[in-house]
Amino acid sequence: MFLRPGCHGLEGTGGVIIQGRPQARVAAFPVRGLVEVLALAGVYLLAARVALSLAAEKSHICPVWLPSGVALGGLLLLGVSRWPAVALGAGAVAYAMDVTPGVGLSVVLGSTLEAVLPALLFRRMEGARELHRVRDVAWLGAGAGLGALVGAGLGTLGLVLGGVVPAAQWGPAGWLWWMADLLGMLLVTPVLLLRRPRRVARSWEALLLTALTVGVCVGVFAFPRPGSAAAHAMTFLLFPLMAWGALSFGLRGAALSSLSIALAAIAGTARELGPFFTVDLPHRGLVVLQLFIGITALTGLLLAAARAERRQAVELLELLATTVRAVHEGVLICEVRESGGLHTVFVNEALCALVGRRREELVGAAPGELLASADGGDRQRLLEALREERSLRAEVALTRPDGTRVWSEMQLSPVRANGQAVTHFVATHRDVTATKELQARLVAAERVAAVGTLAAGVGHEINNPLAYLALNLEAARRSLAAEGAQAPAGVRDALSSVRGAQEGAERIRLIVRDLQVFSREGAPERGLVDLNALVPPAVRVVLHALRSRARLVEDFGPVPRVLGSEARLGQVLLNLLVNALQAIPEGDPGRHEVRVRTGTDPSGHARVEVEDTGGGIPPDVLPRIFDPFFTTKGSDEGTGLGLAICQQIVRTHGGDLRVRSVPGQGATFTLLLPPAPVQSAGSLVPLHAVAHVSEEPETAASGRRGRVLIVDDEPRLAQSMRLLLEPAHEVVTVTRGEDALARVSAGESFDVVLCDLQMPGMDGIAVYRWLQQEAPELASRVVFISGGASSPEARAFVETVAQRVLEKPVRPDVLLSTVEEMLEGSSPKVAARGAVGGTRRG
């Protein structure tokens, strides 16, 4: 017979972190360290007594040496520096067994090393004491096996050298010793590493598992005849119970179930009961018992670790899935099939909302079906990226069930699950429809701005030829009219034709003038604005498009003047008229009507109403009608900016823009503006006020003949003005500012100077400033002629100069009356806004 292969313990050297505290800090408390060493040694001795009590009755062989598990667990909990406790406990056990000092020293040394080595290895491999990973269980098992091998080797070697065990029995003794220590560490250490017990969520399940385990253990290890087949068959019932505990309750269930089954098996075998006791070969039954306990314990720990890892993976997967579902960007995951095709396996809520489809419609379908490009360009790029297994970043159009399209910025990324072949593709979609629409609208706005600039430039260029056309027609009319009523029929016909041409030229002048009003850039000027005078130009701009849709009704009432920008308020009226005509379909102008009504609101505000008989605005759309980029029109008719801009312009003027509508009966937009504080024209002159002229003015009423200097870089315009003025006045024309100043410097005198504002070289501003310095009396008799102040300097000059400014094309009657008034030395009489003429500043 030989000693129990269990006279060994655990301990180690070095410092480790113990429960989050550095070992050096523990060393600073020698009293506490001593208490821990003595406590661990005491538990070691207690475990030894329990293990010896479980030894077979006819031998001192212990199938499981519980103190080895106590030693390893203690060092993992308290730190390797507590190894003296293992040496102390192992020495006490050796002394109690009454062995020689040499045998006792080998036992103490082996027991200490078998605990220290696995503790150091477990720490080196960064194992977690919770054993929630398979690798933690593997390193614990490997370390325990290595430590038990060292401990068993030294222990049995001491027994052989001490003559306690025959040399021939050194192998079997070493095996039993190694298995006993290894099982002790696999059974006891996990129990010691358990955290403070928490309240069991499924207490009924725990009680049921405990009851079944106790019942099966009693049935297997208490009653059956030793070595019976029935007992062996019933042993297999313990494996599912142990697996149940590991899978349902984790490490706690696995450790406690394995320890309980092991203790029951050892106790029954020690009492010569159960399937592992054999009368003829007791040691073989002991080996089988150890294998049973080892497999049970290790399987339980591995199942618990696998369950913990799976739970962590599932929690992480759920977190990722929840995160992916919650992100605002659409996510689509598709799997690569063996045939090379793709099918969708996951989509989040954001993608479903983006394309307007349910998840069930998308999962399983080919991802390319969402692309809306008719020419296949996007589809081709996607197929190339999939074929080459590369990433792709592109803007693609996705289709909705109703046929509408949404623009998405797609980022396609391949997923190599096994590190080599691409198994999945992940596509993230960010809705950029609003951005694309904004870009398109900005481009449209730039085009509108370019058209406005072009219109202003074209108007400026038209003004010069239109001016001398009108002046020449007036000169021809006067010449023909001089023939009197006795003129031949041909002359009368020619006079009628000239008058018709004058009407056409006047219409062209009004159109050009309206273009300049609505394309005026910046329009920083603010002054008194007569809304009744502002409506006709806006109406004339849209009248051609309106005639095919509805009839126009103008209803003018008394309106107080408002303080504001003529161009900006004209833009509002124009937008409201365009909005009204777009609400009415073409083809039935007799049925529909657009009414423009002006008046004074009961609150005293100026009121302009634009009413149409179109389809009206739905109630759900009405609250959003002034939102930027919101439109119910097609892309060819509206951008969603017109009404928003109108609202902003009106609010900057201190007013309000309202809408009321009845579906099917049209809509009415009401513009309300506060009246100007001063309505007198003497205190604040309206912008671009026009001189009041008669319908058929003739030569100067006073008959005074004056000397007029015309300065204009357009020779034909200067010549036309000369022909108009020359019958009544002496006229001198020059085409350069330098020539005009040369004549004045030479001593020539002039009564009136008609000077173009913008000319190459020396412009009208420079001419006027020179005259202010050299001939101030003549500077006060300068009248400017402008085709539109295009530069900031020119606009600022026009706003501040006290001289009269006539806008091209100048009507002949306005030109004649202006020269007459300058000759009389009186200020021109300024009337309410009518046809385009000039403005006196100051």
Side-chain angles (χ1 to χ4, degrees):
M1 302 296 289
F2 46 85
L3 276 176
R4 346 145 271 303
C7 303
H8 5 53
L10 281 189
E11 204 27 47
T13 59
V16 296
I17 295 177
I18 303 175
Q19 298 178 345
R21 299 168 298 181
Q23 179 60 28
R25 184 175 179 182
V26 177
F29 300 89
V31 176
R32 179 175 179 177
L34 180 60
V35 171
E36 290 179 347
V37 168
L38 293 177
L40 180 56
V43 176
Y44 189 96
L45 289 174
L46 180 61
R49 290 182 62 87
V50 174
L52 291 174
S53 68
L54 296 176
E57 294 180 353
K58 297 179 180 180
S59 70
H60 295 291
I61 300 175
C62 297
V64 176
W65 186 240
L66 300 179
S68 63
V70 173
L72 179 57
L75 295 188
L76 291 178
L77 289 174
L78 303 177
V80 182
S81 62
R82 298 298 181 261
W83 64 267
V86 181
L88 183 61
V93 172
Y95 177 78
M97 299 303 299
D98 193 19
V99 297
T100 63
V103 174
L105 181 61
S106 66
V107 170
V108 171
L109 180 60
S111 300
T112 304
L113 288 177
E114 78 173 2
V116 170
L117 291 177
L120 291 176
L121 179 63
F122 193 75
R123 175 195 172 193
R124 175 68 178 174
M125 303 312 298
E126 299 180 350
R129 294 185 307 186
E130 294 80 4
L131 301 179
H132 51 50
R133 296 176 298 182
V134 173
R135 63 182 298 269
D136 297 334
V137 175
W139 284 116
L140 178 66
L146 176 62
L149 182 62
V150 173
L154 291 176
T156 54
L157 180 61
L159 293 177
V160 171
L161 294 178
V164 179
V165 176
Q169 297 294 325
W170 181 72
W175 167 264
L176 293 176
W177 194 316
W178 176 72
M179 282 294 296
D181 288 358
L182 175 60
L183 294 179
M185 286 186 276
L186 292 179
L187 290 173
V188 178
T189 300
V191 176
L192 296 179
L193 295 179
L194 292 176
R195 293 183 176 272
R196 179 181 301 177
R198 295 175 296 179
R199 181 178 179 272
V200 181
R202 301 184 301 275
S203 57
W204 62 270
E205 185 179 358
L207 292 176
L208 178 60
L209 176 61
T210 302
L212 291 176
T213 303
V214 171
V216 174
C217 286
V218 170
V220 173
F221 302 111
F223 298 107
R225 185 169 54 84
S228 65
H232 275 286
M234 293 180 64
T235 305
F236 289 100
L237 296 176
L238 295 173
F239 284 98
L241 294 176
M242 178 274 304
W244 182 4
L247 296 177
S248 294
F249 302 101
L251 177 63
R252 185 178 303 278
L256 294 179
S257 297
S258 300
L259 181 60
S260 300
I261 293 172
L263 292 178
I266 293 171
T269 304
R271 302 299 179 269
E272 299 181 354
L273 299 173
F276 302 114
F277 178 78
T278 57
V279 178
D280 51 347
L281 296 172
H283 298 303
R284 179 177 297 178
L286 185 61
V287 171
V288 176
L289 172 63
Q290 289 179 324
L291 290 175
F292 167 76
I293 294 174
I295 293 173
T296 303
L298 189 59
T299 302
L301 294 178
L302 290 174
L303 283 176
R307 178 249 191 189
E309 283 191 334
R310 180 181 179 276
R311 184 174 182 177
Q312 291 177 355
V314 170
E315 290 176 354
L316 179 60
L317 183 61
E318 290 178 350
L319 176 61
L320 292 175
T322 303
T323 304
V324 171
R325 291 191 185 100
V327 295
H328 296 295
E329 294 185 352
V331 178
L332 181 145
I333 302 176
C334 56
E335 184 181 16
V336 180
R337 292 178 173 175
E338 295 182 359
S339 59
L342 296 174
H343 73 284
T344 304
V345 296
F346 174 84
V347 291
N348 67 345
E349 284 78 0
L351 184 66
C352 294
L354 180 63
V355 299
R357 302 173 188 267
R358 294 180 294 108
R359 180 180 289 106
E360 294 77 10
E361 299 178 53
L362 298 177
V363 174
E369 296 179 0
L370 293 176
L371 298 180
S373 298
D375 58 358
D378 293 339
R379 194 182 304 274
Q380 183 61 32
R381 285 191 299 164
L382 177 60
L383 291 177
E384 291 178 358
L386 295 175
R387 184 173 57 254
E388 298 172 5
E389 298 183 349
R390 60 177 173 84
S391 300
L392 174 65
R393 187 182 186 91
E395 287 186 356
V396 297
L398 305 179
T399 180
R400 290 173 172 266
D402 57 2
T404 59
R405 295 184 178 186
V406 291
W407 282 95
S408 166
E409 184 181 70
M410 181 187 69
Q411 175 65 57
L412 180 69
S413 303
V415 177
R416 304 179 187 273
N418 55 8
Q420 295 180 355
V422 174
T423 59
H424 295 78
F425 281 91
V426 178
T428 59
H429 291 270
R430 184 169 65 91
D431 188 0
V432 294
T433 304
T435 303
K436 294 286 288 186
E437 292 178 355
L438 178 60
Q439 291 174 349
R441 288 163 183 168
L442 288 177
V443 171
E446 291 177 357
R447 286 202 302 265
V448 170
V451 170
T453 304
L454 178 63
V458 170
H460 180 73
E461 293 301 321
I462 291 177
N463 275 333
N464 282 334
L466 183 61
Y468 60 72
L469 173 64
L471 293 174
N472 287 334
L473 288 174
E474 177 62 18
R477 186 193 66 80
R478 289 174 180 271
S479 298
L480 294 174
E483 298 289 335
Q486 303 301 323
V491 173
R492 291 196 300 272
D493 292 341
L495 179 61
S496 176
S497 299
V498 168
R499 286 174 176 169
Q502 282 184 303
E503 292 178 2
E506 177 66 12
R507 290 188 61 184
I508 296 174
R509 185 182 64 82
L510 291 176
I511 292 173
V512 172
R513 187 262 175 192
D514 294 339
L515 286 175
Q516 289 179 327
V517 168
F518 294 115
S519 65
R520 189 171 298 138
E521 183 179 359
E525 71 277 2
R526 294 175 70 89
L528 287 178
V529 178
D530 184 358
L531 295 179
N532 278 339
L534 199 62
V535 170
V539 169
R540 284 194 293 269
V541 172
V542 302
L543 189 58
H544 176 72
L546 185 62
R547 285 171 178 165
S548 62
R549 299 174 184 252
R551 62 183 179 277
L552 176 68
V553 178
E554 296 175 290
D555 184 3
F556 293 98
V559 181
R561 294 187 180 183
V562 298
L563 183 62
S565 168
E566 181 183 64
R568 291 290 181 257
L569 294 177
Q571 180 183 355
V572 171
L573 290 174
L574 181 60
N575 281 342
L576 293 180
L577 287 169
V578 170
N579 188 71
L581 72 89
Q582 288 180 345
I584 299 174
E586 294 185 2
D588 195 2
R591 175 186 174 190
H592 294 286
E593 174 184 287
V594 172
R595 180 179 295 269
V596 182
R597 183 185 299 108
T598 63
T600 303
D601 193 71
S603 63
H605 283 52
R607 184 184 73 246
V608 179
E609 293 182 349
V610 178
E611 181 180 357
D612 65 77
T613 58
I617 305 172
D620 59 326
V621 174
L622 199 61
R624 302 184 58 192
I625 198 69
F626 295 112
D627 291 350
F629 302 119
F630 176 79
T631 179
T632 57
K633 304 172 184 175
S635 58
D636 56 339
E637 283 193 334
T639 62
L641 287 172
L643 291 177
I645 293 174
C646 290
Q647 180 76 287
Q648 183 65 26
I649 293 174
V650 172
R651 287 178 177 175
T652 58
H653 283 75
D656 191 18
L657 183 60
R658 303 172 182 174
V659 59
R660 64 179 186 274
S661 175
V662 177
Q665 300 182 19
T668 302
F669 286 85
T670 303
L671 169 63
L672 295 174
L673 292 170
V678 179
Q679 295 291 321
S680 172
S683 59
L684 183 59
V685 181
L687 297 178
H688 306 291
V690 184
H692 180 72
V693 295
S694 62
E695 197 65 31
E696 292 288 340
E698 296 297 334
T699 59
S702 65
R704 176 185 171 186
R705 185 176 180 84
R707 197 162 191 265
V708 181
L709 174 62
I710 299 176
V711 187
D712 199 301
D713 63 315
E714 180 62 50
R716 293 183 179 179
L717 178 58
Q719 179 69 11
S720 298
M721 288 189 289
R722 184 185 68 79
L723 292 176
L724 181 66
L725 297 174
E726 203 165 48
H729 308 286
E730 180 182 353
V731 180
V732 177
T733 63
V734 296
T735 58
R736 299 193 316 140
E738 294 86 349
D739 296 340
L741 299 184
R743 285 180 173 271
V744 175
S745 299
E748 295 188 39
S749 61
F750 299 98
D751 298 303
V752 180
V753 178
L754 301 177
C755 184
D756 191 6
L757 186 65
Q758 293 177 283
M759 296 181 295
M762 177 176 285
D763 59 8
I765 301 175
V767 171
Y768 177 73
R769 288 173 178 169
W770 187 90
L771 291 177
Q772 282 183 313
Q773 296 293 329
E774 305 297 333
E777 292 184 0
L778 183 58
S780 64
R781 296 195 295 274
V782 173
V783 176
F784 291 102
I785 300 176
S786 172
S790 59
S791 67
E793 181 184 6
R795 287 196 295 267
F797 178 79
V798 169
E799 290 299 317
T800 58
V801 70
Q803 302 308 114
R804 181 74 173 269
V805 180
L806 301 180
E807 294 182 3
K808 293 181 181 179
V810 184
R811 285 175 45 177
D813 51 2
V814 174
L815 181 63
L816 290 170
S817 62
T818 300
V819 172
E820 173 67 18
E821 289 169 353
M822 297 301 293
L823 290 174
E824 290 179 354
S826 61
S827 300
K829 298 179 181 179
V830 180
R833 183 169 183 85
V836 176
T839 304
R840 181 172 180 82
R841 306 293 177 180

